[in-house]
Amino acid sequence: MSGNTSGDIDESLYSRQLYVLGADAMKKMSASNVLIVGLKGLGCEVAKNIVLAGVKSVTLYDPSPVVISDLSTQFFLHQEDVGKPRAQVSAPRLAELNQYVPVSVLDTELTPEAIATFKCVVVTDIPQQQKLEISETAHQNNVYFISTETRGLFGYTFNDFGKDFVVVDPTGEEPLSGMVANIEQAEEGVVMCLDETRHGLEDGQFVTFSEVQGMTELNDCEPRKVKVIGPYTFSIGDTRGLSAYTRGGLFKQVKMPVVLNFKSFKSALEEPEYFYSDFSKFDRPAQLHVGFQALHAFAAANNGRMPRPGNDDDATEVIRLANQINDAWSQKTELDDKLLKQLAYQATGDLSPMV
């Protein structure tokens, strides 16, 4: 299956993505080689989405043989595939989704040399120690690293995009804009919005102007940093050297790039930074983070076996390990035994991530 070697983007195929992401983001994706480790239900869903997104190439790694339980969540597998390597049987079916994206199988071991050839590595369903080894190699070679895992109804995602990662649009929202009623000539020039319309801006954001009469130097000016005075007013710095404002004008927010530095997987285990999606369960991310580490500690002590479904002895051991891990870390959290027990009960559950 040949890829899109010319670098041109098929606008008819990717029209919706071009509208949402923009041409620059699509060009970056179309130049990215991605390695996906683990092809059970979660890995299959990740691979499907990445192939459809239009990256340069996708490489699969999962030499484990297909087992009958895989058929419940891995929608590219059939009963006759049982016993065959997951990656080998999944690759040709994934390749059918997008003629522009070559899909191959990594037949060698996951050596540092092999990992360093990719732009991004996504790992699922592998032991914790192997994740740590892959993540350290990726971090040292500026390879983007994503670790994700589901256990029954529980799951997590970790991202390490290295040093000096530039976010062009931090919010993804439409830039704010509004009509201007007055602009002061002052050391901290205050902008007043028309008809007491709330501007919605925040400290540290940037704006530019158009159609301003009198203080015309502001029209299409370099972005000016905002300091919020009130819901209808904000300052834009020194305006004493500008002409006097007479009337009219529009302000528009300018999205400024933000540079982020990511921690490695190893560093983030003990000092994580969480993304909160449900503020009514503010304590859950920290507890589940400890819980997932306890699951991996349990598996390491039991030849890779996760806690058995509904087994109280295994759940008790997971809770003990979670408390042990929590006590050893600098960022301690209050643990809920009931939550950890549910995590242990569901640890072998492999649900489709689309549920």
Side-chain angles (χ1 to χ4, degrees):
M1 189 72 67
S2 61
N4 184 10
T5 57
S6 67
D8 296 330
I9 298 174
D10 188 335
E11 295 186 8
S12 62
L13 180 63
Y14 299 118
S15 58
R16 286 182 291 181
Q17 283 184 207
L18 281 165
Y19 178 77
V20 175
L21 302 177
D24 289 342
M26 280 297 301
K27 286 179 180 178
K28 289 180 181 179
M29 281 208 308
S30 66
S32 300
N33 299 307
V34 181
L35 171 65
I36 301 171
V37 180
L39 266 296
K40 296 181 74 173
L42 176 59
C44 172
E45 179 65 27
V46 171
K48 180 259 291 182
N49 292 333
I50 291 176
V51 169
L52 291 173
V55 297
K56 184 177 181 180
S57 71
V58 170
T59 303
L60 310 176
Y61 179 84
D62 192 341
S64 301
V66 176
V67 295
I68 194 68
S69 60
D70 292 340
L71 275 62
S72 64
T73 57
Q74 221 278 35
F75 42 77
F76 284 113
L77 299 178
H78 307 303
Q79 192 166 352
E80 58 269 24
D81 297 325
V82 173
K84 301 175 183 177
R86 289 196 194 103
Q88 290 287 355
V89 296
S90 301
R93 295 160 191 171
L94 280 162
E96 294 175 0
L97 298 176
N98 192 339
Q99 63 176 328
Y100 293 120
V101 180
V103 179
S104 60
V105 175
L106 182 65
D107 295 321
T108 62
E109 293 298 316
L110 287 172
T111 62
E113 293 76 17
I115 293 167
T117 62
F118 295 95
K119 182 66 176 178
C120 178
V121 176
V122 184
V123 300
T124 70
D125 303 310
I126 61 173
Q128 187 80 334
Q129 185 58 39
Q130 192 175 9
K131 286 182 188 176
L132 287 166
E133 293 169 0
I134 294 173
S135 68
E136 286 301 298
T137 299
H139 192 77
Q140 292 168 9
N141 290 277
N142 201 31
V143 175
Y144 300 159
F145 174 81
I146 300 173
S147 173
T148 183
E149 187 177 349
T150 57
R151 297 288 170 189
L153 295 174
F154 298 94
Y156 80 86
T157 298
F158 168 81
N159 298 322
D160 172 13
F161 298 147
K163 297 179 180 179
D164 300 326
F165 181 78
V166 179
V167 180
V168 178
D169 185 352
T171 66
E173 300 175 355
E174 284 292 318
L176 298 168
S177 61
M179 300 179 70
V180 175
N182 186 56
I183 305 175
E184 294 180 353
Q185 276 183 310
E187 185 176 356
E188 286 292 333
V190 175
V191 179
M192 181 177 295
C193 296
L194 187 66
D195 297 331
E196 294 191 344
T197 304
R198 291 179 178 270
H199 51 70
L201 296 167
E202 298 177 3
D203 284 344
Q205 294 180 334
F206 290 78
V207 295
T208 189
F209 296 85
S210 62
E211 301 180 27
V212 175
Q213 297 185 33
M215 199 176 286
T216 55
E217 296 91 340
L218 288 178
N219 291 329
D220 299 319
C221 66
E222 290 294 315
R224 283 180 166 254
K225 193 172 183 178
V226 167
K227 181 180 179 182
V228 174
I229 307 297
Y232 313 108
T233 55
F234 59 90
S235 67
I236 56 171
D238 196 342
T239 57
R240 290 173 296 182
L242 307 182
S243 305
Y245 174 85
T246 55
R247 63 178 181 175
L250 303 169
F251 76 83
K252 185 175 182 179
Q253 180 189 3
V254 179
K255 297 290 189 72
M256 302 296 286
V258 176
V259 178
L260 302 178
N261 291 302
F262 286 78
K263 295 178 181 178
S264 68
F265 185 57
K266 182 179 180 180
S267 299
L269 284 180
E270 188 171 346
E271 298 180 345
E273 297 178 19
Y274 303 112
F275 175 80
Y276 296 95
S277 59
D278 186 349
F279 286 94
S280 67
K281 299 175 181 177
F282 192 79
D283 59 334
R284 285 288 179 87
Q287 292 191 68
L288 291 176
H289 174 65
V290 175
F292 269 94
Q293 307 322 307
L295 288 181
H296 286 289
F298 180 96
N302 290 272
N303 297 318
R305 177 180 67 83
M306 282 290 170
R308 291 163 289 185
N311 188 285
D312 287 333
D313 290 339
D314 287 356
T316 300
E317 177 62 10
V318 169
I319 293 171
R320 185 191 71 80
L321 289 168
N323 281 284
Q324 186 180 79
I325 292 168
N326 189 47
D327 290 341
W329 282 354
S330 57
Q331 291 186 13
K332 295 177 175 58
T333 187
E334 186 175 344
L335 300 178
D336 181 354
D337 287 358
K338 291 182 179 179
L339 178 67
L340 295 174
K341 182 177 284 188
Q342 287 299 318
L343 176 61
Y345 282 173
Q346 300 179 35
T348 58
D350 186 17
L351 297 179
S352 169
M354 294 301 291
V355 172

